[in-house]
Amino acid sequence: MDFIAILSIFVLACFVGYYVVWSVTPALHTPLMAVTNAISSVIIVGALIAAAEAGSPAAKWLGLAGVVLASINIFGGFAVTQRMLAMYKKKEKK
Amino acid sequence: MVSLLASGAASSAGTTAWVALAYLAAGVLFILALRGLSSPETSRAGNRFGMIGMLIAVVTTLVTHSIASIYEILIAVAIGGLIGFTIARRIAMTAMPELVAAFHSLVGLAAVLVGWAAFLEPGAFGLLVGDTIGQVSRVEMALGVAIGAITFSGSVIAFAKLSGRMSGSPILLPMRHVINLGTLVAIIVLTALFTMGEIASQDYFIAITVLAFLVGFLLIIPIGGADMPVVVSMLNSYSGWAAAAMGFTLGNSAMIITGALVGASGAILSYIMCKAMNRSFISVIAGGFGADDSGGGDGEPREQRPYKQGSAADAAFMLEQAEKVIIIPGYGMAVAQAQHALREMCDLLEEKGVEVKFAIHPVAGRMPGHMNVLLAEASVDYDKVFELEDINSEFAQADVAFIIGANDVVNPAAKTDKSSPIYGMPVFDVDKAKQVFFIKRSMGGVGYAGVDNDVFYMDQTMMLLSDAKKMVEEIVKGLD
């Protein structure tokens, strides 16, 4: 992709982010932080590319370390978000 | 320069149309994950969208690259996954702020590692122009590594402060603004040198990384414990921008969309928190709030003023008689882990026909939404939990305002005293309630802002001096 195409995606995504996040209810701001944490670990994509490379051992090990860190975040982030969201319940009206 | 731009990005790995589509789908699923959080009912489905998006991104990467070390990668994922999962299972809800800070630090460090891997093996990422790294890629790389490093060291400090491993009070270095600005300028200059150079110099890249780690550390040490909601949100934002910068390097739309979402999310949360304290973002980041050298207010010793102290039995008796009770929880409730006892009290009161509501200030606790999660954990119905602006007008009809572990957010000085450091901060109008119960450990401590609170001394206020959890448990006994 050329730079301008990437930049366009980025700028539009900033606007999407702006409007989507304003619509998040304040009661869910902690789960919001936990889930944004989990999704920002999509950086694992870069770590995987580095780890997959046979060429440079240094890059490979950096990549593998990145994969471990990002995995902690992905699994931990989604799991803890799920745990929190499961608690937001309405009680059965008696 | 323009030709460098085009060729640098166009040679990015794996640009066949369907790969790009898969990453785009992942990005859209992440948007839906955040969209789901607009209400608790849709939030659980949203979280699943997020997981599916992540799965798509990871699988797409794995199937479109020739993998020389699939077993190592699977082991790495398994190790990380197991650690993450275990932590997520075991963590106490009151420890959520430090967990989030710790997770931010991992994103930051991962960004640094990926940036370095890309620097050492540019061919694997399709970043080579001729036999050196393209200039645009160098800027993106340097930015990604710098933001990642700041996120990492800043989050480590935030984690240490939030978890009590380090004192929450601000640590003020002399000339700290000069040092911080100087280091930031140095990073920018080094990035320029790194970009302009004939080849991508490793020395500059090392210097950028080291200085960025230093800046993150210096930025957060002068910021006090109660400003942590802003800091945690800000670091949340940074972790997003780091991911976005890496997305630019790799030409990966999933990373760019996610980075922008997370960046925007953290920025908006920071804005909301600052507004709720009537402070500018700059003044929070400059740090030192609550420390001696920026005290604000008047330095005179506080006069001893008379106040009324009550017992749990008195409180229980008066709560039973009330028609409407509004509970205002604060950080003290989290520290004392009083949320479960509080819910029991609330249940008993409701059985007796008392209307109970919860009022949450945006900066109550140590991260945005902290109180809501704790109340949800104690299975308080979220329909009973209200935000500041939605409930503030109801205090006039309330028989009891029940303050537990909060202080600054009910201080009327914010409305009346222009010299107060919290002047202008929106606060609960508890003085309009017929009765005010104020649970507080002792009369000695004042709120984080270090200002006295007139609410203590009002005619209708009864101070309940004890540990929050113990006091509520005793009230529960009194209600039985």
Side-chain angles (χ1 to χ4, degrees):
Chain A
M1 274 191 281
D2 68 81
F3 184 74
I4 297 303
I6 297 182
L7 189 66
S8 314
I9 295 177
F10 176 69
V11 172
L12 292 176
C14 285
F15 279 93
V16 171
Y18 180 85
Y19 289 106
V20 169
V21 172
W22 271 117
S23 75
V24 172
T25 166
L28 293 176
H29 275 165
T30 297
L32 170 68
M33 299 197 93
V35 82
T36 49
N37 222 313
I39 64 174
S40 59
S41 302
V42 71
I43 203 158
I44 196 173
V45 167
L48 287 171
I49 296 173
E53 191 56 34
S56 147
K60 179 181 147 185
W61 287 108
L62 285 174
L64 284 174
V67 171
V68 174
L69 296 181
S71 303
I72 295 178
N73 237 323
I74 292 171
F75 285 85
F78 281 124
V80 88
T81 309
Q82 196 174 34
R83 212 182 120 197
M84 278 192 274
L85 293 177
M87 300 184 313
Y88 283 82
K89 282 187 191 124
K90 267 190 214 172
K91 263 180 268 173
E92 301 297 318
K93 294 274 182 290
K94 284 160 211 158
Chain B
M1 191 67 191
V2 174
S3 65
L4 277 176
L5 273 173
S7 59
S11 59
S12 293
T15 41
T16 55
W18 76 268
V19 177
L21 280 177
Y23 284 128
L24 184 64
V28 171
L29 285 164
F30 291 149
I31 295 175
L32 291 176
L34 298 197
R35 185 73 187 94
L37 290 171
S38 57
S39 93
E41 289 94 44
T42 53
S43 62
R44 288 170 274 265
N47 200 38
R48 281 192 288 278
F49 284 136
M51 294 182 203
I52 297 168
M54 189 60 75
L55 193 67
I56 292 176
V58 169
V59 170
T60 307
T61 312
L62 288 178
V63 298
T64 52
H65 289 81
S66 51
I67 310 284
S69 47
I70 187 69
Y71 291 110
E72 281 110 315
I73 288 177
L74 290 178
I75 291 170
V77 171
I79 294 172
L82 193 69
I83 297 173
F85 212 69
T86 316
I87 296 173
R89 278 287 130 125
R90 296 213 178 137
I91 191 86
M93 282 299 145
T94 40
M96 204 50 70
E98 54 258 41
L99 179 73
V100 167
F103 278 171
H104 286 156
S105 74
L106 297 182
V107 179
L109 194 56
V112 173
L113 294 176
V114 172
W116 265 94
F119 176 79
L120 294 172
E121 193 60 45
F125 294 86
L127 304 178
L128 286 177
V129 175
D131 50 6
T132 187
I133 303 171
Q135 286 181 315
V136 175
S137 303
R138 285 189 224 170
V139 179
E140 295 160 354
M141 215 181 242
L143 272 179
V145 166
I147 303 173
I150 293 174
T151 310
F152 171 72
S153 54
S155 300
V156 167
I157 301 297
F159 168 77
K161 287 196 173 199
L162 286 166
S163 61
R165 284 173 176 79
M166 186 175 159
S167 154
S169 55
I171 298 168
L172 301 172
L173 299 176
M175 311 257 294
R176 60 181 198 281
H177 298 309
V178 180
I179 299 174
N180 290 351
L181 277 180
T183 323
L184 276 176
V185 170
I187 290 176
I188 294 166
V189 171
L190 283 166
T191 304
L193 291 171
F194 176 68
T195 309
M196 300 304 175
E198 194 86 342
I199 53 153
S201 148
Q202 183 155 344
D203 295 341
Y204 287 142
F205 205 54
I206 292 176
I208 291 170
T209 314
V210 171
L211 284 181
F213 276 126
L214 192 66
V215 169
F217 175 77
L218 291 172
L219 270 180
I220 309 302
I221 54 167
I223 302 179
D227 278 344
M228 281 300 145
V230 182
V231 169
V232 174
S233 315
M234 182 187 83
L235 292 166
N236 184 238
S237 181
Y238 287 1
S239 69
W241 302 130
M246 283 300 142
F248 272 95
T249 312
L250 306 187
N252 183 302
S253 60
M255 281 166 86
I256 291 172
I257 294 175
T258 316
L261 289 178
V262 178
S265 162
I268 290 173
L269 290 176
S270 311
Y271 170 79
I272 295 175
M273 296 301 116
C274 285
K275 201 162 159 255
M277 296 192 290
N278 191 39
R279 310 215 3 237
S280 73
F281 185 68
I282 298 293
S283 86
V284 172
I285 293 312
F289 192 66
D292 292 330
D293 81 350
S294 68
D298 37 85
E300 296 157 34
R302 278 189 296 131
E303 50 187 313
Q304 291 292 318
R305 289 154 71 187
Y307 61 89
K308 271 182 270 179
Q309 188 176 347
S311 70
D314 303 335
F317 177 75
M318 281 190 265
L319 283 168
E320 269 178 322
Q321 310 299 318
E323 271 175 35
K324 180 169 183 172
V325 174
I326 300 178
I327 301 174
I328 302 161
Y331 184 56
M333 179 191 81
V335 175
Q337 304 256 24
Q339 66 270 30
H340 299 281
L342 197 61
R343 202 256 310 149
E344 255 181 85
M345 183 186 99
C346 170
D347 285 352
L348 285 170
L349 287 174
E350 281 178 340
E351 275 170 34
K352 295 174 196 287
V354 183
E355 185 189 4
V356 183
K357 287 184 172 179
F358 288 84
I360 313 259
H361 196 277
V363 293
R366 285 291 186 267
M367 72 184 293
H370 192 183
M371 292 298 122
N372 303 78
V373 170
L374 294 181
L375 293 176
E377 185 200 12
S379 43
V380 170
D381 190 340
Y382 60 77
D383 280 353
K384 287 185 207 127
V385 182
F386 297 88
E387 302 299 313
L388 172 69
E389 60 268 32
D390 298 329
I391 199 165
N392 217 5
S393 58
E394 292 186 30
F395 280 100
Q397 294 103 52
D399 299 293
V400 177
F402 190 91
I403 303 161
I404 172 166
N407 190 347
D408 292 338
V409 298
V410 297
N411 195 335
K415 287 182 284 190
T416 52
D417 179 5
K418 282 201 171 138
S419 67
S420 168
I422 60 169
Y423 180 72
M425 169 168 150
V427 290
F428 292 113
D429 299 326
V430 288
D431 45 328
K432 298 209 176 111
K434 290 193 195 83
Q435 270 279 323
V436 177
F437 294 160
F438 208 122
I439 300 188
K440 202 170 176 310
R441 203 174 274 277
S442 71
M443 286 306 286
V446 283
Y448 173 71
V451 281
D452 206 0
N453 193 337
D454 285 338
V455 171
F456 302 158
Y457 314 107
M458 294 189 313
D459 282 341
Q460 73 266 42
T461 303
M462 187 164 83
M463 299 300 295
L464 302 169
L465 300 178
S466 161
D467 173 72
K469 190 177 173 189
K470 252 186 237 151
M471 179 55 75
V472 177
E473 281 169 351
E474 278 168 36
I475 295 176
V476 167
K477 271 185 220 149
L479 286 172
D480 270 335

